[in-house]
């Protein structure tokens, strides 16, 4: 595997379900990110991890819970989601977390909440 | 309120001609800008960047222009090729405040053979 991978690619879940999204980067980077992209809206940064430590949480509801066990893996745990949470969730990584680091994106997980 | 705006949701261009994609921003603190390209079912891929100390950066067929006074940047693709058909996102950041990029909503470019 190369680059940034995400699983699953598609997910349908009910509002009472618990599921997790997984991201893995094979680039040796130290920073990882979760973004949300809703239809006709810009990418919204959700969380930033730098050297496994969370450095940004952009007022994300607690029904989204990130986990970063090491610099290569990032999870997004989902529970009691709402239909408006349906979106494309993108993971990204970068070498560092300065404001000029290029971020490399995974293909995303398309989430539908029923 | 969106700090980075791409006001053209779509653009069609004939193969071989120039494609010009535009992006406006409102935050005067932004000093680093990038363009990403996204194909369907794939994540965005980095295309080209520019720092605010420059007003132009060129990489092969792709050139980004920055007009700081107008808070405007543009991406020129010359000559356009059918494989350039994709969604293009611009993004901006304040370089000394962490790696938070603000993205536009994207412009879908179609290059007609």
């Amino acid at each position: 595997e190369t680059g940034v991978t995400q699983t699953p690619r598609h997910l349908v879940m009910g509002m009472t379900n618990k599921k997790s999204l997984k991201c893995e980067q094979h680039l040796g980077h130290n920073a990882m990110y979760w973004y949300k992209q809703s239809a006709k809206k810009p990418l919204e940064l959700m969380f930033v991890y730098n050297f496994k430590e969370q450095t940004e949480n952009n007022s994300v509801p607690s029904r989204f819970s990130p986990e970063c066990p090491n610099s290569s893996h990032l999870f997004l745990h989902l529970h009691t989601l709402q239909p408006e949470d349906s979106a494309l969730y993108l993971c990204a990584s970068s070498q560092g977390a300065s404001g000029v680091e290029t971020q490399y994106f995974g293909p995303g997980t398309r989430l539908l909440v029923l | 309120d969106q700090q980075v705006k791409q006001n053209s949701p779509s653009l069609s261009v004939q193969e071989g001609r120039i494609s010009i994609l535009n992006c406006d921003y409102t935050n005067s603190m932004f000093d680093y800008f990038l363009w990403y390209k996204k194909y369907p079912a794939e994540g965005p891929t980095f295309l080209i960047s520019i720092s605010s100390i420059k007003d132009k950066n060129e990489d092969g067929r792709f050139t980004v222009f920055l007009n700081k006074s107008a808070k405007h940047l543009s991406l020129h693709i010359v000559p356009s090729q059918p494989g350039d058909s994709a969604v293009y996102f611009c993004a901006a950041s304040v370089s000394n405040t962490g790696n938070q990029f603000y993205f536009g909503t994207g412009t879908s470019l179609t290059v007609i053979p």
Side-chain angles (χ1 to χ4, degrees):
Chain A
E1 292 277 17
T2 58
V4 181
T5 58
Q6 290 186 244
T7 54
R9 295 293 308 274
H10 301 272
L11 180 62
V12 180
M13 59 187 289
M15 289 190 284
T16 58
N17 291 159
K18 288 184 182 181
K19 297 285 184 183
S20 295
L21 309 185
K22 178 183 176 183
C23 175
E24 185 172 1
Q25 58 94 1
H26 309 267
L27 300 168
H29 288 166
N30 299 307
M32 296 187 78
Y33 311 79
W34 280 117
Y35 283 88
K36 174 184 178 182
Q37 187 180 24
S38 304
K40 301 197 171 144
K41 287 189 176 180
L43 273 73
E44 300 172 51
L45 180 66
M46 300 175 73
F47 301 105
V48 180
Y49 278 82
N50 192 25
F51 289 96
K52 303 190 298 177
E53 299 296 321
Q54 188 179 123
T55 57
E56 292 280 346
N57 175 343
N58 277 358
S59 304
V60 180
S62 60
R63 58 186 184 269
F64 295 91
S65 174
E67 178 190 0
C68 187
N70 55 61
S71 292
S72 298
H73 294 86
L74 186 63
F75 296 89
L76 188 62
H77 304 299
L78 316 171
H79 61 99
T80 59
L81 293 194
Q82 305 298 311
E84 60 264 29
D85 296 321
S86 299
L88 179 68
Y89 289 84
L90 289 160
C91 173
S93 71
S94 63
Q95 183 60 49
S98 74
V100 296
E101 301 277 359
T102 299
Q103 295 178 16
Y104 295 83
F105 286 84
T109 294
R110 177 73 60 185
L111 174 66
L112 177 62
V113 181
L114 300 176
Chain B
D1 190 31
Q2 272 184 253
Q3 300 189 55
V4 178
K5 297 180 183 178
Q6 293 176 258
N7 293 318
S8 298
S10 61
L11 175 68
S12 291
V13 171
Q14 286 290 135
E15 181 178 5
R17 306 294 287 268
I18 184 171
S19 295
I20 301 176
L21 297 100
N22 293 304
C23 180
D24 297 292
Y25 61 95
T26 56
N27 187 343
S28 58
M29 298 296 292
F30 288 148
D31 59 358
Y32 190 69
F33 305 87
L34 305 92
W35 284 93
Y36 280 87
K37 173 179 173 179
K38 185 181 185 300
Y39 292 118
E42 295 183 14
T45 55
F46 170 73
L47 193 56
I48 193 168
S49 64
I50 188 167
S51 164
S52 61
I53 61 174
K54 293 184 170 183
D55 54 19
K56 176 183 172 182
N57 189 25
E58 190 172 350
D59 184 2
R61 296 185 298 114
F62 302 90
T63 303
V64 56
F65 295 91
L66 176 61
N67 182 334
K68 291 184 286 293
S69 60
K71 296 193 184 69
H72 177 84
L73 67 156
S74 62
L75 175 68
H76 292 210
I77 307 173
V78 181
S80 301
Q81 299 174 353
D84 296 328
S85 297
V87 178
Y88 290 78
F89 295 95
C90 66
S93 74
V94 180
S95 61
N96 62 355
T97 60
N99 212 24
Q100 174 148 1
F101 284 98
Y102 295 85
F103 284 81
T105 49
T107 296
S108 178
L109 173 66
T110 301
V111 179
I112 304 164

